[in-house]
Amino acid sequence: CTVETAQRWRENKGKEGKSFSGGIFSVFGLLSKPFQRTVRQPLEKKVAPQPVFEQYYKDGAAVSTSFGPGQVKQFRDGDGFYEVTLVKWKLKNDSFAQAILRRDDISHRVAAGCIEGYPVLTNMGLIGILASVDPTTGVHIVTIPTAGLVCYLQPDSLVRPLKAAVGEEVLTAYGDGKVSKYQIENDTYEIKLIGWGGNATLYAKAETFNRAGDGTKTRDDAFGIKWLFNMLFFSSDKQNASDNTTRSRSNSLVSLSVLSTSARSITK
């Protein structure tokens, strides 16, 4: 046995040890893989968090804030705040200011000076009775007695309140009468006087006569609240449920014709 022979034997022995060791670990790795797969836990499905707060004012609703009139942009059900566009607060870049407000800081907007049950003038030139205001949308429901119409209008579509609507009875210094026309250009009422042979017409300003009916009477007359509720609820089977979802965004008219209803959008 020479030195060279011993050196070669030592090198061959080292190679065999590495090969044997690697084989052992390789076999152990193959045997352990099925076990690893069995102990892995399945991934849990993430459950979407449920809304904590309930939305009261609908998107697009006309509201009033301490910063002026606004319109609801969206509701955050996670924290209960409303994103409101301030329609009278225009910025330098021609966009409108945005406010983040709680429900307690918001109220539904009512057209200036208008009261439920009393006459109003609309921007379409129609005179009607403000039957009610939907607080969740700000939509003003106006009945038009002379045409048998119901208008769903935004607050800005009501120009101003009136002393009396066309067709209503009034009390004047010359006796009872009935409003036959309202002149928008000079804010004058044409009143047909009763008991004067039907030929007497009085041209009067609002402060010179009184309305015979009050809000309570108007709400119960032929085109008041009772008529409105009958039209809405007893003919609702003929309407699509989606009609109510858009009334916070655009104006619309509803009319009764041969016991059926039809609607059309009002474009400005």
Side-chain angles (χ1 to χ4, degrees), residues 188-204:
T188 301
Y189 296 81
E190 293 186 17
I191 302 173
K192 292 290 185 181
L193 296 176
I194 300 173
W196 288 64
N199 297 322
T201 300
L202 176 66
Y203 296 87

PDB file of all heavy atoms in Angstrom, residues 188-204:
ATOM      1  N   THR A 188    -100.275  89.459 -10.189  1.00  0.00           N
ATOM      2  CA  THR A 188    -101.661  89.888 -10.004  1.00  0.00           C
ATOM      3  C   THR A 188    -102.604  88.706 -10.208  1.00  0.00           C
ATOM      4  O   THR A 188    -102.385  87.879 -11.101  1.00  0.00           O
ATOM      5  CB  THR A 188    -102.019  91.016 -10.990  1.00  0.00           C
ATOM      6  OG1 THR A 188    -101.132  92.118 -10.768  1.00  0.00           O
ATOM      7  CG2 THR A 188    -103.455  91.477 -10.796  1.00  0.00           C
ATOM      8  N   TYR A 189    -103.661  88.668  -9.403  1.00  0.00           N
ATOM      9  CA  TYR A 189    -104.654  87.596  -9.476  1.00  0.00           C
ATOM     10  C   TYR A 189    -105.918  88.130 -10.148  1.00  0.00           C
ATOM     11  O   TYR A 189    -106.399  89.220  -9.804  1.00  0.00           O
ATOM     12  CB  TYR A 189    -105.012  87.085  -8.085  1.00  0.00           C
ATOM     13  CG  TYR A 189    -103.861  86.438  -7.347  1.00  0.00           C
ATOM     14  CD1 TYR A 189    -102.904  87.221  -6.688  1.00  0.00           C
ATOM     15  CD2 TYR A 189    -103.725  85.056  -7.301  1.00  0.00           C
ATOM     16  CE1 TYR A 189    -101.855  86.633  -6.003  1.00  0.00           C
ATOM     17  CE2 TYR A 189    -102.674  84.464  -6.611  1.00  0.00           C
ATOM     18  CZ  TYR A 189    -101.747  85.252  -5.963  1.00  0.00           C
ATOM     19  OH  TYR A 189    -100.706  84.685  -5.282  1.00  0.00           O
ATOM     20  N   GLU A 190    -106.433  87.358 -11.093  1.00  0.00           N
ATOM     21  CA  GLU A 190    -107.739  87.670 -11.691  1.00  0.00           C
ATOM     22  C   GLU A 190    -108.792  86.866 -10.943  1.00  0.00           C
ATOM     23  O   GLU A 190    -108.729  85.635 -10.896  1.00  0.00           O
ATOM     24  CB  GLU A 190    -107.758  87.309 -13.179  1.00  0.00           C
ATOM     25  CG  GLU A 190    -106.846  88.174 -14.035  1.00  0.00           C
ATOM     26  CD  GLU A 190    -107.009  87.865 -15.516  1.00  0.00           C
ATOM     27  OE1 GLU A 190    -108.039  87.230 -15.871  1.00  0.00           O
ATOM     28  OE2 GLU A 190    -106.139  88.260 -16.307  1.00  0.00           O
ATOM     29  N   ILE A 191    -109.758  87.559 -10.351  1.00  0.00           N
ATOM     30  CA  ILE A 191    -110.759  86.910  -9.508  1.00  0.00           C
ATOM     31  C   ILE A 191    -112.150  87.187 -10.068  1.00  0.00           C
ATOM     32  O   ILE A 191    -112.545  88.355 -10.255  1.00  0.00           O
ATOM     33  CB  ILE A 191    -110.661  87.425  -8.057  1.00  0.00           C
ATOM     34  CG1 ILE A 191    -109.254  87.160  -7.501  1.00  0.00           C
ATOM     35  CG2 ILE A 191    -111.719  86.783  -7.177  1.00  0.00           C
ATOM     36  CD1 ILE A 191    -109.022  87.783  -6.136  1.00  0.00           C
ATOM     37  N   LYS A 192    -112.886  86.135 -10.367  1.00  0.00           N
ATOM     38  CA  LYS A 192    -114.273  86.260 -10.795  1.00  0.00           C
ATOM     39  C   LYS A 192    -115.155  86.377  -9.554  1.00  0.00           C
ATOM     40  O   LYS A 192    -115.204  85.469  -8.727  1.00  0.00           O
ATOM     41  CB  LYS A 192    -114.694  85.040 -11.620  1.00  0.00           C
ATOM     42  CG  LYS A 192    -114.026  84.923 -12.965  1.00  0.00           C
ATOM     43  CD  LYS A 192    -114.520  85.996 -13.935  1.00  0.00           C
ATOM     44  CE  LYS A 192    -113.933  85.804 -15.322  1.00  0.00           C
ATOM     45  NZ  LYS A 192    -114.389  86.871 -16.260  1.00  0.00           N
ATOM     46  N   LEU A 193    -115.822  87.512  -9.430  1.00  0.00           N
ATOM     47  CA  LEU A 193    -116.647  87.760  -8.258  1.00  0.00           C
ATOM     48  C   LEU A 193    -117.975  87.020  -8.369  1.00  0.00           C
ATOM     49  O   LEU A 193    -118.625  87.011  -9.422  1.00  0.00           O
ATOM     50  CB  LEU A 193    -116.891  89.258  -8.084  1.00  0.00           C
ATOM     51  CG  LEU A 193    -115.635  90.094  -7.802  1.00  0.00           C
ATOM     52  CD1 LEU A 193    -115.999  91.575  -7.755  1.00  0.00           C
ATOM     53  CD2 LEU A 193    -114.965  89.649  -6.512  1.00  0.00           C
ATOM     54  N   ILE A 194    -118.352  86.392  -7.266  1.00  0.00           N
ATOM     55  CA  ILE A 194    -119.608  85.643  -7.212  1.00  0.00           C
ATOM     56  C   ILE A 194    -120.732  86.587  -6.753  1.00  0.00           C
ATOM     57  O   ILE A 194    -120.574  87.345  -5.801  1.00  0.00           O
ATOM     58  CB  ILE A 194    -119.475  84.445  -6.249  1.00  0.00           C
ATOM     59  CG1 ILE A 194    -118.351  83.512  -6.722  1.00  0.00           C
ATOM     60  CG2 ILE A 194    -120.790  83.674  -6.145  1.00  0.00           C
ATOM     61  CD1 ILE A 194    -118.039  82.392  -5.745  1.00  0.00           C
ATOM     62  N   GLY A 195    -121.872  86.522  -7.424  1.00  0.00           N
ATOM     63  CA  GLY A 195    -123.009  87.360  -7.047  1.00  0.00           C
ATOM     64  C   GLY A 195    -123.062  88.681  -7.792  1.00  0.00           C
ATOM     65  O   GLY A 195    -123.867  89.548  -7.463  1.00  0.00           O
ATOM     66  N   TRP A 196    -122.215  88.823  -8.801  1.00  0.00           N
ATOM     67  CA  TRP A 196    -122.214  90.033  -9.606  1.00  0.00           C
ATOM     68  C   TRP A 196    -122.652  89.717 -11.046  1.00  0.00           C
ATOM     69  O   TRP A 196    -122.282  90.410 -11.984  1.00  0.00           O
ATOM     70  CB  TRP A 196    -120.825  90.671  -9.629  1.00  0.00           C
ATOM     71  CG  TRP A 196    -120.425  91.323  -8.331  1.00  0.00           C
ATOM     72  CD1 TRP A 196    -120.234  90.728  -7.138  1.00  0.00           C
ATOM     73  CD2 TRP A 196    -120.203  92.713  -8.121  1.00  0.00           C
ATOM     74  NE1 TRP A 196    -119.879  91.627  -6.175  1.00  0.00           N
ATOM     75  CE2 TRP A 196    -119.848  92.878  -6.753  1.00  0.00           C
ATOM     76  CE3 TRP A 196    -120.241  93.845  -8.936  1.00  0.00           C
ATOM     77  CZ2 TRP A 196    -119.560  94.125  -6.196  1.00  0.00           C
ATOM     78  CZ3 TRP A 196    -119.935  95.073  -8.371  1.00  0.00           C
ATOM     79  CH2 TRP A 196    -119.604  95.207  -7.009  1.00  0.00           C
ATOM     80  N   GLY A 197    -123.436  88.701 -11.171  1.00  0.00           N
ATOM     81  CA  GLY A 197    -123.933  88.318 -12.487  1.00  0.00           C
ATOM     82  C   GLY A 197    -122.904  87.590 -13.332  1.00  0.00           C
ATOM     83  O   GLY A 197    -123.142  87.355 -14.523  1.00  0.00           O
ATOM     84  N   GLY A 198    -121.790  87.256 -12.740  1.00  0.00           N
ATOM     85  CA  GLY A 198    -120.766  86.511 -13.480  1.00  0.00           C
ATOM     86  C   GLY A 198    -119.952  87.352 -14.417  1.00  0.00           C
ATOM     87  O   GLY A 198    -119.142  86.815 -15.187  1.00  0.00           O
ATOM     88  N   ASN A 199    -120.138  88.670 -14.404  1.00  0.00           N
ATOM     89  CA  ASN A 199    -119.419  89.529 -15.342  1.00  0.00           C
ATOM     90  C   ASN A 199    -118.330  90.374 -14.682  1.00  0.00           C
ATOM     91  O   ASN A 199    -117.574  91.048 -15.388  1.00  0.00           O
ATOM     92  CB  ASN A 199    -120.406  90.463 -16.058  1.00  0.00           C
ATOM     93  CG  ASN A 199    -121.414  89.680 -16.897  1.00  0.00           C
ATOM     94  OD1 ASN A 199    -121.047  88.683 -17.516  1.00  0.00           O
ATOM     95  ND2 ASN A 199    -122.665  90.141 -16.910  1.00  0.00           N
ATOM     96  N   ALA A 200    -118.284  90.364 -13.374  1.00  0.00           N
ATOM     97  CA  ALA A 200    -117.326  91.215 -12.662  1.00  0.00           C
ATOM     98  C   ALA A 200    -116.028  90.459 -12.425  1.00  0.00           C
ATOM     99  O   ALA A 200    -116.022  89.325 -11.926  1.00  0.00           O
ATOM    100  CB  ALA A 200    -117.919  91.679 -11.339  1.00  0.00           C
ATOM    101  N   THR A 201    -114.921  91.112 -12.786  1.00  0.00           N
ATOM    102  CA  THR A 201    -113.587  90.531 -12.585  1.00  0.00           C
ATOM    103  C   THR A 201    -112.757  91.508 -11.770  1.00  0.00           C
ATOM    104  O   THR A 201    -112.685  92.704 -12.082  1.00  0.00           O
ATOM    105  CB  THR A 201    -112.888  90.252 -13.928  1.00  0.00           C
ATOM    106  OG1 THR A 201    -113.676  89.336 -14.677  1.00  0.00           O
ATOM    107  CG2 THR A 201    -111.510  89.660 -13.690  1.00  0.00           C
ATOM    108  N   LEU A 202    -112.148  90.993 -10.720  1.00  0.00           N
ATOM    109  CA  LEU A 202    -111.316  91.812  -9.849  1.00  0.00           C
ATOM    110  C   LEU A 202    -109.843  91.464 -10.081  1.00  0.00           C
ATOM    111  O   LEU A 202    -109.474  90.279 -10.093  1.00  0.00           O
ATOM    112  CB  LEU A 202    -111.684  91.565  -8.385  1.00  0.00           C
ATOM    113  CG  LEU A 202    -110.832  92.290  -7.333  1.00  0.00           C
ATOM    114  CD1 LEU A 202    -111.048  93.802  -7.434  1.00  0.00           C
ATOM    115  CD2 LEU A 202    -111.166  91.778  -5.937  1.00  0.00           C
ATOM    116  N   TYR A 203    -109.031  92.495 -10.306  1.00  0.00           N
ATOM    117  CA  TYR A 203    -107.585  92.312 -10.448  1.00  0.00           C
ATOM    118  C   TYR A 203    -106.959  92.760  -9.132  1.00  0.00           C
ATOM    119  O   TYR A 203    -107.006  93.955  -8.794  1.00  0.00           O
ATOM    120  CB  TYR A 203    -107.047  93.119 -11.624  1.00  0.00           C
ATOM    121  CG  TYR A 203    -107.603  92.666 -12.956  1.00  0.00           C
ATOM    122  CD1 TYR A 203    -108.816  93.180 -13.433  1.00  0.00           C
ATOM    123  CD2 TYR A 203    -106.926  91.722 -13.722  1.00  0.00           C
ATOM    124  CE1 TYR A 203    -109.340  92.751 -14.648  1.00  0.00           C
ATOM    125  CE2 TYR A 203    -107.445  91.300 -14.945  1.00  0.00           C
ATOM    126  CZ  TYR A 203    -108.641  91.799 -15.394  1.00  0.00           C
ATOM    127  OH  TYR A 203    -109.157  91.378 -16.594  1.00  0.00           O
ATOM    128  N   ALA A 204    -106.409  91.817  -8.406  1.00  0.00           N
ATOM    129  CA  ALA A 204    -105.991  92.116  -7.039  1.00  0.00           C
ATOM    130  C   ALA A 204    -104.601  91.561  -6.748  1.00  0.00           C
ATOM    131  O   ALA A 204    -104.153  90.565  -7.335  1.00  0.00           O
ATOM    132  CB  ALA A 204    -106.998  91.526  -6.053  1.00  0.00           C
TER     133      ALA A 204
END
